[in-house]
Short mmCIF file of all heavy atoms in Angstrom, two decimals:
data_model
loop_
_atom_site.label_atom_id
_atom_site.label_comp_id
_atom_site.label_asym_id
_atom_site.label_seq_id
_atom_site.Cartn_x
_atom_site.Cartn_y
_atom_site.Cartn_z
N SER A 708 -9.89 9.15 -62.32
CA SER A 708 -9.28 8.41 -63.44
C SER A 708 -7.77 8.31 -63.24
O SER A 708 -7.13 7.40 -63.76
CB SER A 708 -9.60 9.10 -64.77
OG SER A 708 -9.17 10.43 -64.78
N SER A 709 -7.20 9.23 -62.48
CA SER A 709 -5.78 9.14 -62.15
C SER A 709 -5.50 7.83 -61.42
O SER A 709 -4.51 7.15 -61.69
CB SER A 709 -5.35 10.32 -61.27
OG SER A 709 -4.00 10.20 -60.89
N PHE A 710 -6.39 7.45 -60.51
CA PHE A 710 -6.23 6.18 -59.79
C PHE A 710 -6.53 5.00 -60.71
O PHE A 710 -5.78 4.02 -60.74
CB PHE A 710 -7.17 6.16 -58.58
CG PHE A 710 -7.12 4.88 -57.79
CD1 PHE A 710 -6.19 4.71 -56.79
CD2 PHE A 710 -8.01 3.85 -58.06
CE1 PHE A 710 -6.14 3.52 -56.07
CE2 PHE A 710 -7.98 2.66 -57.33
CZ PHE A 710 -7.03 2.50 -56.34
N ARG A 711 -7.59 5.09 -61.49
CA ARG A 711 -8.01 3.96 -62.32
C ARG A 711 -6.95 3.58 -63.36
O ARG A 711 -6.84 2.41 -63.74
CB ARG A 711 -9.33 4.28 -63.02
CG ARG A 711 -10.53 4.30 -62.08
CD ARG A 711 -11.85 4.28 -62.84
NE ARG A 711 -12.05 5.50 -63.61
CZ ARG A 711 -12.65 6.59 -63.13
NH1 ARG A 711 -13.07 6.59 -61.87
NH2 ARG A 711 -12.82 7.66 -63.88
N ASP A 712 -6.14 4.53 -63.79
CA ASP A 712 -5.13 4.24 -64.81
C ASP A 712 -3.80 3.75 -64.24
O ASP A 712 -2.85 3.53 -64.98
CB ASP A 712 -4.89 5.50 -65.67
CG ASP A 712 -6.02 5.74 -66.66
OD1 ASP A 712 -6.95 4.90 -66.71
OD2 ASP A 712 -5.99 6.76 -67.38
N LEU A 713 -3.72 3.60 -62.92
CA LEU A 713 -2.51 3.07 -62.31
C LEU A 713 -2.48 1.54 -62.44
O LEU A 713 -3.51 0.90 -62.65
CB LEU A 713 -2.44 3.45 -60.83
CG LEU A 713 -2.20 4.92 -60.49
CD1 LEU A 713 -2.42 5.16 -59.00
CD2 LEU A 713 -0.78 5.35 -60.89
N ASP A 714 -1.31 0.94 -62.26
CA ASP A 714 -1.20 -0.52 -62.28
C ASP A 714 -1.82 -1.09 -61.00
O ASP A 714 -1.97 -0.39 -59.99
CB ASP A 714 0.27 -0.93 -62.40
CG ASP A 714 1.09 -0.44 -61.21
OD1 ASP A 714 1.17 -1.16 -60.21
OD2 ASP A 714 1.62 0.71 -61.29
N GLU A 715 -2.16 -2.35 -61.01
CA GLU A 715 -2.88 -2.97 -59.90
C GLU A 715 -2.07 -2.96 -58.60
O GLU A 715 -2.62 -2.79 -57.51
CB GLU A 715 -3.27 -4.41 -60.25
CG GLU A 715 -4.41 -4.51 -61.25
CD GLU A 715 -5.66 -3.77 -60.80
OE1 GLU A 715 -6.05 -3.93 -59.61
OE2 GLU A 715 -6.23 -3.01 -61.61
N HIS A 716 -0.76 -3.13 -58.71
CA HIS A 716 0.08 -3.11 -57.51
C HIS A 716 -0.03 -1.75 -56.82
O HIS A 716 -0.24 -1.67 -55.61
CB HIS A 716 1.54 -3.41 -57.87
CG HIS A 716 2.49 -3.18 -56.74
ND1 HIS A 716 2.59 -4.06 -55.68
CD2 HIS A 716 3.36 -2.15 -56.48
CE1 HIS A 716 3.50 -3.60 -54.83
NE2 HIS A 716 3.97 -2.45 -55.29
N SER A 717 0.11 -0.68 -57.60
CA SER A 717 0.03 0.67 -57.03
C SER A 717 -1.35 0.93 -56.44
O SER A 717 -1.48 1.54 -55.37
CB SER A 717 0.35 1.72 -58.10
OG SER A 717 1.67 1.57 -58.58
N LYS A 718 -2.39 0.45 -57.11
CA LYS A 718 -3.75 0.64 -56.60
C LYS A 718 -3.90 -0.03 -55.23
O LYS A 718 -4.46 0.57 -54.29
CB LYS A 718 -4.76 0.04 -57.57
CG LYS A 718 -4.99 0.85 -58.84
CD LYS A 718 -6.04 0.13 -59.68
CE LYS A 718 -6.25 0.82 -61.02
NZ LYS A 718 -7.24 0.11 -61.84
N ASN A 719 -3.44 -1.24 -55.12
CA ASN A 719 -3.59 -1.96 -53.86
C ASN A 719 -2.82 -1.29 -52.73
O ASN A 719 -3.31 -1.20 -51.59
CB ASN A 719 -3.12 -3.41 -54.02
CG ASN A 719 -4.08 -4.23 -54.88
OD1 ASN A 719 -5.27 -3.93 -54.94
ND2 ASN A 719 -3.56 -5.24 -55.56
N ILE A 720 -1.62 -0.83 -53.04
CA ILE A 720 -0.82 -0.12 -52.04
C ILE A 720 -1.54 1.15 -51.60
O ILE A 720 -1.65 1.44 -50.40
CB ILE A 720 0.58 0.23 -52.58
CG1 ILE A 720 1.38 -1.04 -52.88
CG2 ILE A 720 1.33 1.14 -51.61
CD1 ILE A 720 1.67 -1.88 -51.67
N LEU A 721 -2.05 1.92 -52.55
CA LEU A 721 -2.73 3.18 -52.23
C LEU A 721 -4.02 2.94 -51.45
O LEU A 721 -4.36 3.73 -50.56
CB LEU A 721 -3.02 3.97 -53.51
CG LEU A 721 -1.80 4.66 -54.13
CD1 LEU A 721 -2.10 5.14 -55.55
CD2 LEU A 721 -1.35 5.83 -53.26
N ARG A 722 -4.74 1.88 -51.78
CA ARG A 722 -5.96 1.57 -51.01
C ARG A 722 -5.60 1.35 -49.54
O ARG A 722 -6.28 1.84 -48.63
CB ARG A 722 -6.63 0.32 -51.58
CG ARG A 722 -7.37 0.51 -52.88
CD ARG A 722 -8.20 -0.73 -53.22
NE ARG A 722 -8.80 -0.63 -54.54
CZ ARG A 722 -8.34 -1.21 -55.64
NH1 ARG A 722 -7.23 -1.98 -55.57
NH2 ARG A 722 -8.95 -1.05 -56.80
N ARG A 723 -4.55 0.57 -49.31
CA ARG A 723 -4.15 0.27 -47.94
C ARG A 723 -3.67 1.52 -47.21
O ARG A 723 -4.04 1.77 -46.06
CB ARG A 723 -3.06 -0.80 -47.95
CG ARG A 723 -2.53 -1.16 -46.56
CD ARG A 723 -1.76 -2.45 -46.56
NE ARG A 723 -0.75 -2.52 -47.61
CZ ARG A 723 0.45 -1.93 -47.54
NH1 ARG A 723 0.78 -1.23 -46.46
NH2 ARG A 723 1.32 -2.06 -48.51
#
Side-chain angles (χ1 to χ4, degrees):
S708 57
S709 177
F710 178 86
R711 288 194 293 271
D712 284 357
L713 290 170
D714 61 89
E715 286 304 313
H716 170 76
S717 297
K718 286 181 184 179
N719 290 332
I720 296 297
L721 285 167
R722 285 190 186 101
R723 178 164 50 79

